[in-house]
Amino acid sequence: MTTAQIEQLVIDAHDTGNFAPLVASIPYATTIGMQVLRLGEEVVFHLPIAKDNIGNPVLPALHGGVIAGFMEQAAMLHLMISMSSSSFPKIIDFSIDYLRAGLYKDTYATCQVWRQGRRVGNVAITAWQTRSNEPIATARAHFKLD
């Protein structure tokens, strides 16, 4: 995918509020069923329940790697949206803290850009299921910007 095509996807997402084509351009985000919701000026990332995302069928609970992957993709997309990027940021570092079991429920995430320079962007991510003030995981991601 060319930088012009990526840039157009981001512009279209801003203009229409429909982030599905942008998410569809990322194979892993598509595989786990990730969605992006715009609530006013806020962007909320949504991971609907899917049997393929279960790691522990006894509970059942989401696989920890799916939660981490969802949060990493959310951070990357949030950075792209906030800076109207023409390329996909490249992950440098990702650190996650699991706080509660990610049960077989819809999962949501919000992101906050802590610092965005010319070359590096730092993003904080919080994921929850029932209430936003009861996170199942928090993470920090650092991206190389082009």
Side-chain angles (χ1 to χ4, degrees), residues 74-134:
M76 180 184 70
L77 283 166
H78 184 81
L79 200 53
M80 288 180 72
I81 292 164
S82 68
M83 60 186 240
S84 297
S85 179
S86 62
S87 64
F88 293 106
K90 292 167 184 60
I91 191 76
I92 295 171
D93 180 51
F94 184 82
S95 177
I96 186 167
D97 297 314
Y98 296 100
L99 306 173
R100 292 178 176 76
L103 300 175
Y104 187 58
K105 298 179 179 181
D106 284 1
T107 305
Y108 303 91
T110 53
C111 302
Q112 182 177 8
V113 176
W114 285 117
R115 184 175 191 288
Q116 179 189 331
R118 286 182 303 168
R119 295 184 182 182
V120 177
N122 300 330
V123 183
I125 312 102
T126 304
W128 75 92
Q129 291 181 320
T130 307
R131 293 181 192 85
S132 62
N133 63 350
E134 294 178 4

Side-chain angles (χ1 to χ4, degrees), residues 57-81:
V58 175
L59 289 178
L62 295 175
H63 190 284
V66 170
I67 294 170
F70 166 62
M71 294 174 76
E72 180 183 322
Q73 296 299 305
M76 180 184 70
L77 283 166
H78 184 81
L79 200 53
M80 288 180 72
I81 292 164

